[in-house]
């Protein structure tokens, strides 16, 4: 048992690497290898006394030299002098370490941390357990007891390495429990290569692959393991591994256990209260309300309580869900989340942005919100673990839209409303909501209209609710109209509804019914409120920020906020987060109809123009702060709005990605209008969106602008739109389309818009390089460099030089490639270009690798990767990992190459296109094949071949040959 008596607090020792000692920051001389062996033997006993005989046996084994005993005494004496009094003490004919606190030895600290992690895991605190275990593993600094002689040290080295692997397996097991399967695959691939016979690692790799949607590879791992164990040990895999294989073959649902990653940035717990106000006149539904309330607020710990309300439009699903949510809010002290999933509209909400909104509402800082929907869902479930939160998912399209938004652990609950019955939503209680009973319908009508008026004309009131079909929305429309017109009697309304030919006109069920309801609220607005309501309805997009709304209204932000909040109070606008507002889809249509009816065409166009100008000006500022000295900003259309300013590039990136949906929507909306040129330039300024998770909507917007410009006969707008389309096509791997767009852009802009020509030539050069047309690429990039130089655009010139460098690599001229790439790096560094500088370092790394300097290339790629991560450039993150894998494989490091190729594959699921995913799978297969994992390698190659064949790519032929060679090799063995 180690002692905890007080001693010199500055004395520290390491055993999980070379045996070393420090006093404060000063390294102490620990002497000869055998003197270090004695120190290690004493420290490993953690304060227990070791006899001289034990120490001699530890250092020399069964055949010690004659000088062993005096040697031990000499080493102990020297250690006393180095370490100071009271540390190495004599006891009962032996020696012991004394007077050291627990944190003085890295091994002791690691043991304490491992115990703490185990306690946290037992308590269900997986996130903390993983972090603590990571701190323990970080204490290893290479081989334990490195360079220490003797049989005792050798035995302890084996023990400590085995313990480290056990800790790693435990941490990886928690990674999988928390949804980190995609990133765990890369680490497990490397570990199984280093420890091929360790079956637990193979089991974890199979599970990680399966949860990543790679069932074939998971099964191939089992086949590789079975073959290896048979060849090396003559045994079969242990039962646990075989059982996992069978469960994968059977698609066992328990294998897809939902999990949640630990966020990289600190999350400050926040209690969100996002529920809309409940209606004060809620009526009826007593049995349904009681059943829902009992289910979701019962405190049931066995599963997440999920209720799905289904019924026709207007039956009152949302009203009921909000009412129940407020009634049960005390059962959910950690907050309530709410979202309209817009399931009945033409553009239902995607899970990813909804999850992003939820994460921010729960306290996740914007930079810590992951890019992919899967990672967001995992983090969301992690944040809800151990909390009681009610999630209301309104107006859902289908179960697939809902599943990523459900809590993953008991304690929380979800209420879902939809027009479809979600029979495929596992574990949900399905509630079919019918129209009201006659008594409930009359009660609702009475509460809205007033007792006196209904009591005076009860028969007429019964006729009204019957004519409404007892449908709550229709009743509310009719009753609200009556309540707003004090001169009407109930009989007047009944007479209007009695005419079946006009009843739909009076009630206007569905969309039209909602329009009539909105008309009542709209008619009560003050002129300034009504104008704000109308103009805000003009803008497409999922929501609108306060700053953008202020631009639409041409008002200072404070004044605009007062108007928007008054519309929220009137239930004509909603605000689910501070500073962001949105209409229900049909409410927006109504507001737009009001604008078309009440606003002159010039004012409608001016309002959209102000919104577009806001995005153009702000996107231009975001572009400029990321790219000093880039001349594009001088050539864009002049915006009539100052836009927002940013303190630094991260703030600009946060704005760009937060506003991506509304920005792309307004760009598409204004394409076929006099605002076309400003729309095109706004999209160009937002170019960074094309290289992240929004690559596809960006590409779609670019194509819409191309069509609009062509239809308008605007050559300048068409050329610029074609440049954005060409860039997006390159990112998505559609190279021929990219070349066609860029070639047309050159044709349109050559005599009038030189910077556009330079950009288009640069894109043509990149495409030519990808397609192996090196001479064409050389010509296009040289023209691009001249064009950028003539425009004074040094960043563009540097980009062209970097592109030329890559061509030189492909052409077998690495020395020239290095020279050109260094020029690009130097130019970017001189201008303070972090992001574009990372692109230049990427090019220089490829040149250095071709010149026989792989270590320097990997260092540069690592530097570039950090920048790409910080800038959310998923495409370039993937390409950097891919290039690292190529170099590592060429260096004879297949395990590292496999890990890098795995990391490249994760972003390629969202951006980069099928051809690049096929390339990465092919490279991963080569690395796995080198590692002896031929089954998994074949699985990767088959998936890659399917992609190549779909694309009609030449690489398919080479890959077929590779697969045939692999099959022949397997038969021969």
């Amino acid at each position: 048992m180690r002692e905890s008596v007080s001693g010199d607090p500055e004395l520290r020792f390491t055993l999980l690497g070379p045996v070393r000692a420090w006093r404060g920051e000063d390294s102490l001389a620990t002497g000869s290898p055998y003197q270090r062996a004695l120190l290690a033997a004493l420290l490993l006993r953690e304060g227990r006394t070791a006899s001289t005989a034990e120490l001699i046996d530890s250092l020399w084994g069964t055949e010690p030299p004659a000088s062993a005993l005096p040697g031990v005494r000499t080493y102990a004496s020297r250690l006393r002098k180095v370490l100071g009094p009271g540390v190495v003490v004599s006891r009962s004919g032996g020696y012991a370490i004394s007077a050291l606190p627990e944190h003085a030895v890295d091994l002791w600290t690691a043991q304490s941390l491992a115990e703490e992690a185990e306690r946290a895991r037992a308590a269900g605190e997986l996130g903390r357990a993983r972090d603590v275990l990571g701190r323990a593993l970080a204490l290893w600094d290479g081989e334990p007891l490195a360079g220490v002689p003797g049989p005792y040290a050798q035995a302890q080295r084996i023990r400590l390495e085995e313990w480290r692997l056990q800790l790693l397996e435990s941490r990886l097991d928690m990674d999988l429990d928390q949804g980190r399967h995609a990133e765990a695959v890369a680490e497990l691939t490397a570990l199984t290569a280093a420890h091929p016979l360790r079956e637990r690692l193979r089991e974890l790799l199979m599970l990680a692959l399966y949860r990543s949607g790679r069932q074939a590879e998971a099964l191939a791992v089992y086949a590789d393991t079975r073959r290896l164990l048979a060849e090396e040990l003559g045994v079969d895999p242990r039962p646990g591994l075989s059982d996992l294989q069978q469960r994968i073959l059977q698609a066992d649902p328990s294998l897809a256990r939902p999990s949640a990653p630990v966020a990289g940035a600190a999350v400050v717990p926040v209690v969100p209260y996002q529920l809309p106000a409940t209606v004060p006149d809620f009526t009826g539904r007593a049995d349904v309300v009681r059943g829902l309330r009992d289910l979701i607020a019962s405190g049931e710990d066995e599963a997440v309580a999920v209720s799905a309300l289904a019924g026709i439009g207007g039956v009152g699903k949302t009203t009921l869900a909000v009412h129940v949510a407020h009634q049960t809010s005390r059962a959910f002290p950690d907050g309530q989340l709410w979202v309209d999933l817009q399931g009945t509209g033409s553009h239902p909400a995607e899970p990813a942005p909804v999850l992003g909104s939820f994460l921010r509402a729960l306290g996740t800082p914007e930079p810590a919100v992951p890019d992919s929907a899967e990672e967001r869902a995992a983090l969301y479930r992690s944040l809800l673990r151990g909390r009681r939160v009610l999630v209301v998912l309104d107006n859902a399209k289908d179960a697939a839209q809902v599943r990523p938004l459900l809590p993953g652990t008991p304690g929380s609950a979800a209420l879902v409303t939809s027009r479809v019955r979600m029979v495929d939503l596992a574990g949900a209680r399905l509630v079919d909501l019918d129209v009201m009973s006659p008594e409930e319908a009359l009660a609702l009508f009475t509460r809205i209209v007033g007792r006196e008026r209904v009591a005076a004309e009860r028969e007429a009131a019964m006729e009204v609710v019957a004519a409404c079909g007892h449908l709550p929305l229709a009743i509310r429309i009719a009753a609200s109209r009556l309540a707003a017109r004090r001169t009407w009697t109930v009989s007047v309304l009944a007479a209007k509804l009695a005419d079946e030919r006009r009843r739909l006109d009076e009630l206007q069920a569905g969309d039209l019914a909602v329009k009539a309801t909105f008309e009542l609220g709209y008619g009560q607005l003050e002129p300034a409120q009504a104008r704000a309501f109308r103009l805000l309805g003009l803008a497409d997009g999922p929501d609108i920020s306060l700053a953008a709304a202020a631009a639409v209204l041409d008002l200072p932000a404070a004044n605009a906020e007062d108007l928007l909040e008054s519309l929220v109070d009137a239930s004509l606008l909603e605000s689910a987060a501070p500073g962001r507002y949105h209409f229900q889809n049909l409410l927006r249509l109504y507001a737009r109809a009001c604008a078309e009816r009440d606003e002159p065409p010039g004012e409608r166009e001016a309002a959209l123009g102000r919104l577009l100008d806001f995005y153009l000006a702000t996107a231009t500022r975001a572009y400029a702060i990321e790219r000093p000295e880039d001349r594009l900003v001088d050539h864009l259309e002049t915006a009539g709005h100052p836009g927002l300013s940013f303190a630094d590039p991260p703030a600009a990136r946060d704005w760009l990605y937060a506003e991506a949906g509304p920005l792309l929507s307004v760009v598409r909306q204004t394409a076929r209008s006099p605002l076309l040129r400003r729309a095109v330039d706004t999209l160009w300024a937002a170019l960074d969106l094309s290289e992240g998770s929004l690559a596809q909507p960006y590409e779609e917007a670019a194509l819409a602008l191309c069509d609009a410009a062509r239809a308008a006969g605007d050559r300048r707008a068409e050329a610029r739109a074609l440049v954005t389309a060409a860039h997006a096509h390159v990112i998505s791997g559609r190279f021929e389309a990219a070349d066609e767009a860029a070639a047309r852009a050159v044709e349109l802009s050559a005599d009038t818009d030189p910077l556009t020509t330079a950009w288009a030539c640069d894109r043509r050069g990149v495409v030519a390089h990808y397609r192996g047309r090196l001479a064409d690429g050389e010509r296009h990039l040289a023209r691009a460099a001249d064009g950028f130089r003539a425009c004074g655009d040094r960043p563009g010139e540097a980009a062209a030089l970097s592109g030329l460098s890559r061509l030189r690599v492909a052409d077998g001229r690495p020395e020239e490639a290095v020279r050109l790439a260094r020029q690009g790096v130097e130019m970017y560094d001189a201008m303070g270009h972090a992001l574009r500088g990372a692109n230049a370092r990427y090019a220089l790394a490829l040149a250095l690798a071709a010149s026989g300097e792989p270590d320097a290339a990997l260092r540069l790629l690592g530097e570039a990767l950090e920048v790409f991560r910080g800038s959310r450039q998923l495409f370039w993150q993937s390409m950097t990992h891919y290039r690292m894998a190529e170099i590592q494989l060429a260096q004879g490091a297949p395990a590292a190459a496999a890990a890098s190729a795995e990391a490249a594959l994760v972003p390629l699921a969202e951006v980069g296109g099928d051809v690049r995913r096929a390339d990465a799978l092919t490279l991963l297969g080569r690395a796995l094949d080198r590692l002896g994992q031929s089954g998994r390698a074949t699985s990767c190659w088959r998936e890659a071949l399917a992609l190549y064949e779909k694309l009609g790519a030449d690489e398919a032929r080479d890959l077929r040959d590779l697969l045939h060679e692999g099959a022949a090799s397997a038969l021969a063995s």
Side-chain angles (χ1 to χ4, degrees):
M1 182 173 182
R2 69 188 73 142
E3 296 188 21
S4 57
V5 296
S6 61
D8 188 346
E10 295 185 348
L11 203 57
R12 295 181 293 113
F13 300 88
T14 61
L15 299 176
L16 301 177
V19 176
R20 291 172 292 187
W22 288 270
R23 189 181 302 283
E25 299 301 319
D26 298 328
S27 177
L28 302 179
T30 52
S32 67
Y34 279 101
Q35 186 170 310
R36 291 198 303 275
L38 178 66
L39 175 61
L42 295 176
L43 290 171
L44 284 164
R45 283 170 169 80
E46 303 181 24
R48 299 188 300 274
T49 300
S51 68
T52 52
E54 287 177 315
L55 291 172
I56 289 172
D57 186 60
S58 296
L59 270 62
W60 291 284
T62 56
E63 298 181 1
S67 58
L69 180 58
V72 166
R73 292 170 177 166
T74 300
Y75 298 148
S77 176
R78 291 174 180 171
L79 287 173
R80 284 196 190 100
K81 293 177 182 178
V82 172
L83 303 179
V87 178
V88 178
V89 296
S90 300
R91 287 183 187 159
S92 306
Y95 298 94
I97 288 287
S98 179
L100 290 180
E102 186 175 79
H103 63 269
V105 182
D106 61 351
L107 174 58
W108 299 356
T109 303
Q111 291 171 169
S112 177
L113 289 171
E115 293 166 2
E116 181 184 347
E118 190 58 36
R119 289 194 298 271
R121 187 175 189 179
E125 301 175 5
L126 291 188
R128 188 168 73 86
R130 184 193 182 280
D131 288 342
V132 172
L133 207 53
R135 285 160 50 198
L137 286 163
L139 294 172
W140 264 263
D141 184 21
E143 182 185 50
L145 308 175
V148 174
Y152 181 72
Q154 178 60 23
Q156 290 298 312
R157 261 193 296 275
I158 295 171
R159 178 184 72 86
L160 291 173
E161 177 59 20
E162 172 62 23
W163 184 49
R164 185 184 74 87
L165 287 172
Q166 290 173 359
L167 295 182
L168 264 175
E169 289 170 349
S170 181
R171 197 259 296 158
L172 285 161
D173 192 36
M174 284 187 276
D175 283 349
L176 298 188
D177 281 343
Q178 295 179 287
R180 294 172 171 264
H181 34 264
E183 55 194 74
V185 169
E187 187 175 0
L188 283 163
T189 296
L191 285 169
T192 53
H195 306 280
L197 298 177
R198 198 169 183 91
E199 292 182 68
R200 178 56 179 158
L201 291 174
R202 299 273 182 154
E203 183 178 343
L204 291 170
L205 177 57
M206 288 173 65
L207 187 57
L209 285 166
Y210 180 77
R211 289 187 181 171
S212 300
R214 298 158 69 176
Q215 179 180 0
E217 284 185 66
L219 294 171
V221 170
Y222 178 82
D224 287 335
T225 305
R226 183 176 183 181
R227 175 183 51 79
L228 182 66
L229 291 173
E231 291 175 354
E232 297 291 330
L233 305 177
V235 298
D236 289 328
R238 61 185 179 82
L241 204 62
S242 301
D243 177 63
L244 179 59
Q245 182 220 18
Q246 290 301 312
R247 293 170 68 195
I248 289 174
L249 287 169
Q250 296 162 5
D252 186 343
S254 66
L255 291 180
R257 183 170 61 247
S259 20
V262 178
V267 176
V268 179
V270 173
V271 179
Y273 297 103
Q274 296 185 340
L275 294 179
T278 188
V279 294
D281 48 25
F282 182 87
T283 303
R285 313 288 197 188
D287 291 341
V288 178
V289 169
R290 189 181 307 110
L292 290 171
R293 186 178 58 220
D294 292 345
L295 174 69
I296 67 175
S298 63
E300 181 63 51
D301 291 330
E302 294 180 3
V304 177
V306 180
S307 293
L309 307 178
I312 63 173
V315 80
K317 302 180 295 294
T318 298
T319 301
L320 174 62
V322 171
H323 180 75
V324 171
H326 276 283
Q327 284 207 340
T328 58
S329 60
R330 290 192 178 184
F332 300 94
D334 297 312
Q336 300 93 42
L337 296 168
W338 179 88
V339 66
D340 173 22
L341 295 176
Q342 306 172 44
T344 57
S346 58
H347 298 288
E350 294 293 331
V354 173
L355 288 165
S357 172
F358 279 1
L359 291 174
R360 289 186 288 272
L362 291 166
T364 306
E366 180 64 33
V369 175
D371 289 316
S372 75
E374 292 78 11
E375 290 175 312
R376 289 183 179 189
L379 178 55
Y380 166 66
R381 291 191 294 268
S382 179
L383 292 178
L384 292 186
R385 183 182 178 89
R387 303 174 74 176
R388 291 188 60 82
V389 174
L390 177 62
V391 183
V392 183
L393 307 173
D394 188 33
N395 197 14
K397 177 186 178 184
D398 52 30
Q401 186 189 32
V402 165
R403 288 188 194 101
L405 309 177
L406 296 178
T409 50
S412 293
L415 269 173
V416 185
T417 73
S418 176
R419 291 193 180 187
V420 299
R421 194 168 188 267
M422 296 190 179
V423 294
D424 54 343
L425 190 61
R429 176 184 174 180
L430 304 181
V431 179
D432 291 325
L433 200 58
D434 202 352
V435 297
M436 286 181 153
S437 68
E439 294 74 19
E440 289 176 331
L442 183 61
L444 174 60
F445 185 80
T446 302
R447 294 198 64 174
I448 299 171
V449 172
R451 288 185 180 275
E452 290 184 6
R453 298 177 75 182
V454 172
E457 300 178 274
R458 181 178 175 81
E459 290 299 322
M462 292 295 292
E463 293 172 7
V464 167
V465 297
C468 292
H470 304 134
L471 186 69
L473 180 58
I475 296 166
R476 184 172 295 280
I477 290 169
S480 297
R481 291 184 67 195
L482 182 61
R485 291 163 172 79
R486 302 304 302 176
T487 59
W488 281 15
T489 64
V490 179
S491 296
V492 168
L493 178 60
K496 288 179 177 293
L497 295 177
D499 184 354
E500 292 186 356
R501 292 171 301 175
R502 291 195 50 78
R503 184 178 299 170
L504 292 179
D505 293 333
E506 296 293 340
L507 295 178
Q508 306 246 342
D511 294 357
L512 297 176
V514 173
K515 179 179 179 181
T517 303
F518 296 157
E519 186 71 43
L520 292 171
Y522 178 69
Q524 297 174 1
L525 296 177
E526 297 293 331
Q529 292 176 309
R531 174 181 178 270
F533 177 77
R534 292 192 300 268
L535 295 184
L536 289 175
L538 292 171
D540 286 344
D543 62 1
I544 192 167
S545 67
L546 174 59
V552 171
L553 303 178
D554 197 20
L555 290 173
N559 296 32
E561 185 174 23
D562 289 342
L563 282 174
L564 296 179
E565 289 298 326
S566 72
L567 291 174
V568 172
D569 292 339
S571 300
L572 292 173
L573 194 65
E574 296 173 358
S575 177
R580 297 205 75 86
Y581 301 88
H582 67 94
F583 286 111
Q584 289 279 354
N585 285 346
L586 297 177
L587 182 59
R588 175 186 281 109
L589 293 178
Y590 171 73
R592 188 170 296 176
C594 290
E596 292 171 353
R597 182 188 66 198
D598 301 335
E599 294 287 347
E603 179 53 26
R604 298 200 300 269
E605 183 179 308
L608 282 177
R610 290 190 294 270
L611 178 60
L612 184 62
D613 278 349
F614 166 77
Y615 284 126
L616 172 58
T618 310
T620 300
R621 287 177 183 268
Y623 183 96
I625 198 171
E626 192 82 77
R627 297 166 173 83
E629 297 189 41
D630 194 308
R631 296 276 67 81
L632 175 63
V633 296
D634 300 329
H635 291 257
L636 298 177
E637 290 286 306
T638 301
H641 190 283
L644 301 177
S645 299
F646 304 106
D648 50 37
R653 286 193 293 271
D654 287 345
W655 175 87
L656 182 63
Y657 282 92
E659 291 294 322
L663 183 151
L664 293 175
S665 293
V666 79
V667 161
R668 297 191 65 167
Q669 183 181 6
T670 54
R672 296 187 181 274
S673 76
L675 304 173
L676 170 62
R677 287 195 173 188
R678 280 180 275 172
V680 170
D681 284 1
T682 300
L683 190 67
W684 200 348
L687 193 70
D688 282 350
L689 295 178
S690 69
E691 298 178 1
S693 58
L694 294 156
Q696 182 177 344
Y698 183 96
E699 188 173 15
E700 291 170 353
L703 291 173
L705 289 174
C706 290
D707 292 341
R710 191 176 305 113
D714 190 329
R715 293 169 63 88
R716 169 175 162 153
E718 184 180 357
R720 294 185 172 201
L722 285 164
V723 165
T724 65
H727 186 84
H729 291 333
V730 168
I731 299 301
S732 65
R734 299 175 62 225
F735 300 123
E736 294 307 321
D739 195 46
E740 290 176 9
R744 175 62 176 161
V746 171
E747 179 184 337
L748 292 170
S749 64
D751 299 327
T752 58
D753 196 355
L755 187 60
T756 298
T757 303
W759 273 78
C761 289
D762 182 82
R763 295 299 83 194
R764 293 204 75 188
V766 170
V767 170
H769 169 236
Y770 276 120
R771 307 312 291 169
R773 301 193 294 262
L774 303 186
D776 289 344
E778 186 91 19
R779 184 176 70 257
H780 294 316
L781 287 173
R783 184 178 178 185
D786 291 341
F788 284 125
R789 198 176 296 115
C791 293
D793 193 312
R794 297 180 67 230
E797 182 184 353
L801 291 174
S802 297
L804 284 168
S805 168
R806 294 180 62 186
L807 279 172
R808 297 287 197 277
V809 171
D811 202 24
R813 293 181 281 173
E815 294 79 8
E816 293 181 39
V818 170
R819 177 181 58 79
L820 288 168
R822 287 195 191 281
Q823 281 183 256
V825 170
E826 290 167 3
M827 291 176 71
Y828 280 133
D829 287 352
M831 291 179 282
H833 261 277
L835 177 56
R836 298 288 286 275
N839 288 120
R841 281 169 170 76
Y842 175 92
L844 178 56
L846 300 187
L848 289 171
S851 299
E853 298 183 56
D855 292 336
L858 287 173
R859 178 180 56 79
L860 283 170
L861 288 173
E863 293 174 7
L865 184 60
E866 289 305 309
V867 177
F868 294 142
R869 282 176 178 154
S871 301
R872 308 184 198 183
Q873 298 293 299
L874 290 183
F875 172 76
W876 286 108
Q877 289 177 50
S878 176
M879 293 306 298
T880 304
H881 280 301
Y882 178 81
R883 297 302 184 185
M884 294 173 82
E886 283 186 322
I887 295 170
Q888 288 159 342
L889 192 60
Q891 281 186 304
S900 295
E902 282 283 358
L905 276 171
V906 174
L908 285 174
E910 293 191 52
V911 63
D914 286 344
V915 66
R916 293 190 178 94
R917 181 168 178 80
D919 290 344
L921 284 165
T922 301
L923 183 60
L924 174 59
R926 292 183 184 278
L928 293 171
D929 193 48
R930 294 265 192 95
L931 291 169
Q933 299 182 26
S934 57
R936 191 175 157 204
T938 299
S939 178
C940 290
W941 289 335
R942 284 175 177 158
E943 185 179 351
L945 178 59
L947 292 171
Y948 283 139
E949 288 178 337
K950 182 179 76 171
L951 296 167
D954 294 340
E955 290 87 346
R957 182 178 59 254
D958 296 336
L959 200 49
R960 285 191 205 97
D961 293 341
L962 195 61
L963 282 166
H964 287 317
E965 290 171 10
S969 176
L971 288 171
S973 63

